[in-house]
């Protein structure tokens, strides 16, 4: 698959935090339709995964741009483990349907060959369709399973796609 010509993927650091926090708010707002999560008293959503991505060993955050426009991000974890995880993934609505997400997943997972996993909510039909399609394209023997969200039994079970990238 070819990467859209104006897509750039940058490994983010603290100087990217303002852009990432804006995109994170959009991501968490969108996810709140499926999780029921509310912002805190300051109007902010939890962002522990974003913070870990910028600072914790075995984690990373990648910022996606189309030309000068920040259009998405991925938070990866377990990069120092046998199975790597796409912990958070977001593409702004205006950049969807242009193969940006597919190109980003392909490029990021190729940088860390091996086993990969990603969780998503089946109720988020767009995400479910996306992850089933991308996982199958990357690995015809990928698997899909459901797991209860640890510590949050009131939430619907997460769907997990697991695939291998060589």
């Amino acid at each position: 698959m070819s990467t859209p010509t104006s897509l750039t993927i940058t490994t983010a650091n603290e100087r990217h935090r303002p852009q990432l926090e804006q995109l994170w708010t959009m991501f968490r707002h969108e996810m709140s339709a499926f999780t029921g999560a509310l912002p805190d008293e300051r109007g902010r959503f939890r962002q522990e995964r974003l913070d870990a991505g910028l600072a914790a060993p075995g984690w990373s955050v990648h910022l996606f741009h189309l030309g000068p426009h920040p259009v998405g991000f991925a938070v990866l974890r377990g990069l120092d483990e046998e199975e790597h995880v796409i912990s958070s993934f977001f593409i702004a609505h205006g950049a969807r349907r242009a193969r940006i997400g597919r190109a980003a997943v392909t490029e990021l997972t190729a940088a860390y060959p091996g086993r990969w996993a990603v969780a998503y909510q089946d109720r988020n039909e767009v995400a479910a369709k996306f992850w089933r399609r991308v996982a199958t394209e990357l690995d015809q023997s990928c698997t899909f399973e459901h797991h209860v969200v640890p510590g949050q039994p009131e939430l619907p079970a997460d769907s997990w796609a697991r695939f291998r990238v060589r």
Side-chain angles (χ1 to χ4, degrees):
M1 170 179 48
S2 64
T3 301
T5 55
S6 61
L7 174 66
T8 57
I9 301 175
T10 304
T11 301
N13 57 42
E14 280 297 325
R15 75 181 172 86
H16 299 104
R17 185 176 284 276
Q19 291 175 319
L20 288 166
E21 286 185 347
Q22 287 291 107
L23 291 167
W24 185 265
T25 298
M26 291 189 291
F27 164 66
R28 293 303 301 170
H29 174 262
E30 186 169 309
M31 291 303 299
S32 72
F34 308 104
T35 66
L38 296 172
D40 65 17
E41 62 280 352
R42 298 174 302 147
R44 297 182 59 142
F45 287 97
R46 294 176 47 194
Q47 64 180 50
E48 293 91 355
R49 284 180 280 162
L50 176 60
D51 295 339
L54 289 169
W59 289 68
S60 66
V61 179
H62 303 270
L63 184 59
F64 312 149
H65 280 87
L66 283 180
H69 307 283
V71 296
F73 66 87
V75 177
L76 309 179
R77 66 178 167 85
L79 298 176
D80 53 356
E81 297 178 19
E82 189 172 325
E83 182 176 75
H84 316 307
V85 177
I86 300 170
S87 181
S88 302
F89 188 86
F90 177 73
I91 303 291
H93 283 274
R96 294 180 186 175
R97 307 292 241 162
R99 301 182 61 92
I100 301 304
R102 204 179 293 182
V105 171
T106 300
E107 185 173 325
L108 290 171
T109 58
Y112 300 94
R115 289 189 347 210
W116 279 92
V118 62
Y120 56 90
Q121 290 288 312
D122 283 330
R123 295 184 332 175
N124 184 344
E125 294 175 9
V126 172
K129 182 178 177 182
F130 172 80
W131 287 114
R132 286 191 296 263
R133 183 177 56 244
V134 170
T136 302
E137 287 177 3
L138 291 171
D139 178 5
Q140 289 291 313
S141 62
C142 63
T143 62
F144 301 93
E145 51 200 42
H146 290 90
H147 294 283
V148 173
V149 178
Q152 298 184 343
E154 72 281 2
L155 293 180
D158 281 334
S159 294
W160 282 85
R162 287 193 156 78
F163 54 94
R164 182 173 293 280
V165 175
R166 302 188 193 286

